[in-house]
Amino acid sequence: MSLTNEIIEKVKVKNPAEGEFHQAVEEVMESLEPTVEKHPEFVKAGIYDRIVEPDRAILFRVPWQDDKGNVQVQKGFRVQYNNSIGPYKGVLRFHPSVNLGIIKFLGFEQVFKNSLTTLPMGGGKGGSDFDPKGKSDNEVMRFCQAFMRELFRHIGPDTDVPAGDIGVGGREIGFLFGYYKKLRNEHTGVLTGKGIEYGGSLIRPEATGYGAVYFAAEMLNVKNETLEGKTALVSGSGNVAQYAMEKLLDLGAKPVTSSDSSGYIFDEAGIDREKLAFIMDLKNVRRGRLKEYADKYSTAVYTPVDPNLGYNPLWNHKADVAFPSATQNEINEKDAQHLVNNGVKTISEGANMPTTPEGISIFMTNGIGYGLGKAANAGGVAVSGLEMSQNSLRYNWTREEVDSKLHGIMKSIHKAAYETSVAYGKPGDYPLGANIAGFTKVAKTMVAYGVV
Ligand code: NDP
Ligand code: 2IT
């Protein structure tokens, strides 16, 4: 058995019931197989065994009081995965599905993603099974404060810098940062995604969605194509999906779908700027359900989620490009086949690990340009890195400066992934190229440090 396969098997045995984590390790390790022969120094230093094991995983109890005065208890997690190239960096996710396996998969992915950004950031991830949906602002505040009461002792601007993800937006970051500041009596860049008034970076809210579209544009550029006039399927209606749609409109493409966990809308006429503004208000201000979109716009059809269907009909519409931007494993084998059958030739993943391994192999065997999440959605963490730099400098760059740095970073991520795929004899195999490029930098650093 090859070394990388041995590692996969060991991870499965040693970390039972962590399916998403196994999936992420399998995906990365399969790509890394050709590096084993090329880098005997990595094997000698035990890098393959060490890279799958987090530096530490912190689990804690988060007790908080709801509006009725009842005590609720949530699980809290922070997995500090690898800080070889910089402080641990990666988000907090608040969603009822959060468990240790999900946080470990996200943290593991983050190590390679952050390495690809060219910025000095290690990888980590955290979160809670708390569900902000249906909670009052006061409840969310009390929960965030309770969460930070434990987390503050493990993080710091040079140690570990969290940010937002599913269920953690500007409101939550404000509560978390305000309480950290109170506990530590210091105003530093300990969290990113902050409000502009208290150290946030311009373009951070837009960065992941914009970056995924810039990445798609780079993939198309290899084939001498652009996004102009292309029809796009987008899933999700949160932070990433909203700004992916905005940048698609800027570049002349037509987004036709959007979804939330209850269902999706298909708007053949296209989601234009006015309709996008409606989605942003609905989701960010009124915190409502996407079904309202179809009540307001007669050009749209709403389809509720049918858990017995075995596929997501959102991916079964004619289009050219697709931006999965909701959550993990939202494209299975059937969905991938539907995308291929409907003429989609380019996928740029805004979400983390939205495609199952079976789905990925359908894309690869059909020659689809497949931009995996850790390359395509790295724009968010990249601008988080720029926010950290601005906080250290106590300075702010303009919107244009940040956007142009983001664009440059997405181009260089694409270049690194593409050129590595060429160097390893598989031009256009983005999973291979991105995983190897991200890994190599971290592995070299680990070798330099010795056995620590
Ligand atoms: P948001 O919470 O802003 O939006 C998430 C969207 O996905 C919502 O529309 C939500 O619907 C939907 N969704 C979430 N969970 C599920 C589920 N289990 N089933 C179906 N739909 C679901 O999160 P983000 O936009 O920030 O994150 C989306 C994805 O992008 C995640 O995979 C995240 O890890 C990834 N990502 C985010 C980055 C960022 O900077 N924010 C950076 C890089 C990656 P509903 O409203 O009903 O919950
Ligand atoms: O998955 C990700 O890269 C993010 N959600 C952003 C991480 C960050 O620290 O900004």
Side-chain angles (χ1 to χ4, degrees), residues 78 88-93 106 109-110 113-114 117 121-122 124-125 161-166 191-193 204 208 239-240 350-352 373-374 377-385 387-388:
R78 186 72 187 164
Y88 304 108
K89 179 82 195 87
V91 288
L92 298 172
R93 174 179 290 191
L106 289 165
E109 292 274 290
Q110 201 79 41
K113 184 194 304 192
N114 293 2
T117 64
M121 296 181 289
K125 212 84 175 191
V161 182
D165 186 81
I166 291 178
L191 291 166
T192 60
R204 175 62 188 90
T208 310
N239 174 264
V240 179
N352 283 307
K374 70 171 76 66
N377 72 34
V381 75
V383 174
S384 278
E387 183 172 329
M388 289 163 72

Side-chain angles (χ1 to χ4, degrees), residues 21 39 115 151 160 173 277 286 299 307 328 336 355 358-359 361 424 437:
F21 176 56
H39 291 283
S115 165
L151 187 71
D160 183 356
I173 293 290
R286 292 190 287 129
T299 46
Q328 62 272 2
T355 310
E358 298 77 19
S361 68
Y424 278 81

Side-chain angles (χ1 to χ4, degrees), residues 71-202:
V71 176
Q72 307 271 356
V73 179
Q74 245 66 56
K75 284 181 179 296
F77 303 91
R78 186 72 187 164
V79 174
Q80 297 179 331
Y81 224 101
N82 188 307
N83 67 351
S84 297
I85 62 171
Y88 304 108
K89 179 82 195 87
V91 288
L92 298 172
R93 174 179 290 191
F94 293 168
H95 193 270
S97 63
V98 164
N99 57 38
L100 184 60
I102 290 198
I103 298 299
K104 278 168 68 181
F105 119 63
L106 289 165
F108 182 67
E109 292 274 290
Q110 201 79 41
V111 174
F112 308 102
K113 184 194 304 192
N114 293 2
S115 165
L116 283 169
T117 64
T118 70
L119 301 173
M121 296 181 289
K125 212 84 175 191
S128 172
D129 59 358
F130 174 74
D131 187 359
K133 266 198 216 104
K135 305 287 189 303
S136 70
D137 285 350
N138 275 330
E139 287 177 322
V140 171
M141 179 184 76
R142 283 196 295 275
F143 172 77
C144 289
Q145 293 181 342
F147 187 81
M148 189 51 88
R149 250 191 313 273
E150 173 61 32
L151 187 71
F152 86 100
R153 68 188 87 246
H154 306 293
I155 62 174
D158 295 316
T159 308
D160 183 356
V161 182
D165 186 81
I166 291 178
V168 182
R171 174 182 61 170
E172 289 76 15
I173 293 290
F175 293 145
L176 291 163
F177 183 78
Y179 206 60
Y180 180 91
K181 182 177 75 59
K182 175 86 180 166
L183 290 169
R184 285 262 194 236
N185 193 24
E186 55 181 46
H187 197 298
T188 60
V190 67
L191 291 166
T192 60
K194 299 186 291 299
I196 293 304
E197 306 76 12
Y198 60 94
S201 173
L202 291 161

Side-chain angles (χ1 to χ4, degrees), residues 224-237:
N224 289 320
E225 288 182 47
T226 69
L227 279 162
E228 175 93 45
K230 296 228 171 4
T231 298
L233 302 179
V234 178
S235 66
S237 51

